[in-house]
Amino acid sequence: MKFFISLIASLTAAAVLGSCQQQKAYPVFFLVQDSNTVTEAADSTSARMIVKFNGVTYTRMPIMSLDHFEKFQSHVNPDGSYGVTLYARKEWRNRLYYNTVDKSGMLMLPVVNGLAMEPMRITPVNDGVLVIWNGLNGYDLKMISRTVDPIHPELEEKRYKKKNPRPLPKKPEDVKNQTRDFTGRTVGEIYG
């Protein structure tokens, strides 16, 4: 009898823990311009640590991602796309501040679902607010809302789209013309 009770208890616990898994956040993150160029890279892992967009190299490690934010608010641009203002969680504001002070004057590249948005010149951010100025659509807003709470839920819900209307760009198959580091490894590129 004790065996059956412990078996049922363990199966119930496994079912509860299995259903509590968090879903993966929509890939929204901010990359910072790399201070080294590809040819100045000092070690053999350099190609794996940087990525290129429009001829500028960025470190592959983001300074902030969607998981670091607690609220968002979208705005409509004249071209019909959306921009979004993201408000960092209190515990991540210092990280954002010190990273932006350290990298002041360099470029920051917002990347949404693998697509680069418009790069921004970095100035110190002491209020915990980052903005993606344009290029988002209703699907992006809907997916962002799964991780970050909207400030005005009723307004945001009107903007959501069920499917992504933006086709993802095709990556070039010709790797001969891609940028390489000093060891010959190709450097990845982000497309806008």
Side-chain angles (χ1 to χ4, degrees), residues 4 7-8 13 15 43 58 60 64-65 69 82 89-90 96 101 108 118 128 155-156 172 182 191:
F4 288 116
L7 179 65
I8 291 172
D43 61 40
Y58 296 89
R60 194 178 287 264
M64 298 291 278
S65 68
F69 296 96
Y82 294 105
R89 295 180 189 280
K90 190 174 184 178
L96 179 59
V101 165
M108 182 185 304
E118 184 179 340
L155 175 65
E156 300 299 340
F182 72 98
Y191 302 94

Side-chain angles (χ1 to χ4, degrees), residues 147-190:
T147 305
V148 182
D149 295 330
I151 291 178
H152 306 290
E154 61 284 342
L155 175 65
E156 300 299 340
E157 287 177 12
K158 293 177 185 174
R159 297 176 174 173
Y160 295 163
K161 294 212 181 291
K162 291 182 181 183
K163 292 185 179 178
N164 191 355
R166 180 191 314 119
L168 295 177
K170 294 182 180 181
K171 297 177 183 172
E173 296 177 16
D174 179 22
V175 293
K176 292 178 185 175
N177 296 328
Q178 283 187 328
T179 305
R180 296 177 181 273
D181 73 349
F182 72 98
T183 64
R185 293 183 180 149
T186 58
V187 174
E189 290 194 42
I190 297 179

Side-chain angles (χ1 to χ4, degrees), residues 35-104:
S35 56
N36 298 324
T37 61
V38 178
T39 56
E40 294 173 350
D43 61 40
S44 62
T45 60
S46 62
R48 288 183 273 164
M49 302 305 288
I50 59 173
V51 68
K52 261 184 111 172
F53 176 69
N54 285 347
V56 179
T57 57
Y58 296 89
T59 57
R60 194 178 287 264
M61 179 60 117
I63 63 166
M64 298 291 278
S65 68
L66 202 57
D67 293 326
H68 298 117
F69 296 96
E70 64 181 340
K71 295 192 181 285
F72 82 94
Q73 179 175 332
S74 67
H75 60 272
V76 181
N77 289 306
D79 66 356
S81 70
Y82 294 105
V84 69
T85 305
L86 296 162
Y87 299 89
R89 295 180 189 280
K90 190 174 184 178
E91 62 268 20
W92 295 105
R93 289 182 188 158
N94 280 340
R95 173 185 176 163
L96 179 59
Y97 174 71
Y98 289 119
N99 273 299
T100 55
V101 165
D102 186 43
K103 304 290 186 177
S104 185

